[in-house]
Amino acid sequence: MALDVSPLEIPEVKFIRPARFGDDRGWFSVTYNVQDFAEAGIDAVFMQDNQSRSEGVHTLRGLHFQRPPFAQAKLVRVVAGRVIDVAVDARKGSPTCGKWVKAELTAKGGEQMYVPRGFLHGFLTLEPGTEVAYKVDAPYDQGSDGSVRWDDPDLGIDWGIADLAPVLSDKDKTAILWRDFDNPF
């Protein structure tokens, strides 16, 4: 298999390193193959590719979710720069509900993170001009879109920026607290 797949502390969230094959010209990598991913236990059927670019360091996007039936599994990778990628378990009844995991994803290393449905997702850029590409298994639906505060005290996510203020969208500036989240998962 051309993938190294490791579960994170919440085992449904996977850290993935696709193999890279290099020579004096550079390298080649298969970043997604349905059969390889299925053999690794990731059977989401991705239907859309998204890409974002963040010009500044410490741009934070998240913690985003879509309510069912538009909930999304995501396969996240960085194509320029690097990020701290975070997934928060929002699945009711899960022993890890309200817990989070994070991983550093870099363009240089080609790492990926698989985030299943029922998780909040966000990332923080660590370099200027960072571009993140991610596959999703459900279409975007504006009426199902939501956001929980990135700095929610009940979640206590360690973004690694101490007292620095990240760059946020208006949506993320007005996101709800975890305790006020009408959890649809």
Side-chain angles (χ1 to χ4, degrees):
M1 185 183 314
L3 294 175
D4 176 18
V5 179
S6 305
L8 293 177
E9 293 82 15
I10 300 174
E12 295 85 354
V13 180
K14 311 287 188 204
F15 185 75
I16 303 161
R17 284 191 183 95
R20 286 189 171 175
F21 307 95
D23 60 25
D24 58 344
R25 299 168 299 162
W27 54 263
F28 170 83
S29 181
V30 176
T31 60
Y32 177 74
N33 175 287
V34 68
Q35 184 175 340
D36 289 347
F37 273 72
E39 288 173 9
I42 300 171
D43 58 2
V45 177
F46 296 110
M47 63 177 304
Q48 180 174 308
D49 283 351
N50 300 325
Q51 187 166 341
S52 69
R53 179 176 172 90
S54 301
E55 295 301 333
V57 175
H58 298 146
T59 298
L60 196 145
R61 297 176 187 257
L63 300 163
H64 299 158
F65 65 91
Q66 285 208 145
R67 290 176 175 78
F70 297 99
Q72 297 176 328
K74 297 178 180 179
L75 180 62
V76 184
R77 67 188 180 101
V78 175
V79 294
R82 62 190 179 102
V83 302
I84 295 296
D85 203 51
V86 172
V88 178
D89 191 349
R91 300 168 299 162
K92 293 178 189 174
S94 167
T96 55
C97 186
K99 305 295 184 199
W100 53 271
V101 292
K102 71 178 182 178
E104 183 173 316
L105 306 180
T106 68
K108 183 177 182 179
E111 307 88 359
Q112 299 181 37
M113 192 157 93
Y114 172 70
V115 181
R117 291 180 181 197
F119 282 74
L120 311 178
H121 176 255
F123 63 84
L124 174 75
T125 64
L126 301 175
E127 292 182 5
T130 293
E131 294 185 28
V132 175
Y134 55 100
K135 296 181 172 308
V136 295
D137 71 344
Y140 173 77
D141 179 74
Q142 186 174 5
S144 302
D145 188 49
S147 185
V148 171
R149 284 185 59 105
W150 67 276
D151 61 348
D152 185 282
D154 292 332
L155 296 176
I157 298 170
D158 177 9
W159 292 94
I161 56 172
D163 295 329
L164 297 175
V167 178
L168 301 170
S169 69
D170 290 340
K171 168 185 164 180
D172 293 336
K173 287 178 185 175
T174 60
I176 59 173
L177 291 170
W178 174 255
R179 69 174 142 254
D180 298 329
F181 176 41
D182 182 17
N183 189 341
F185 304 111

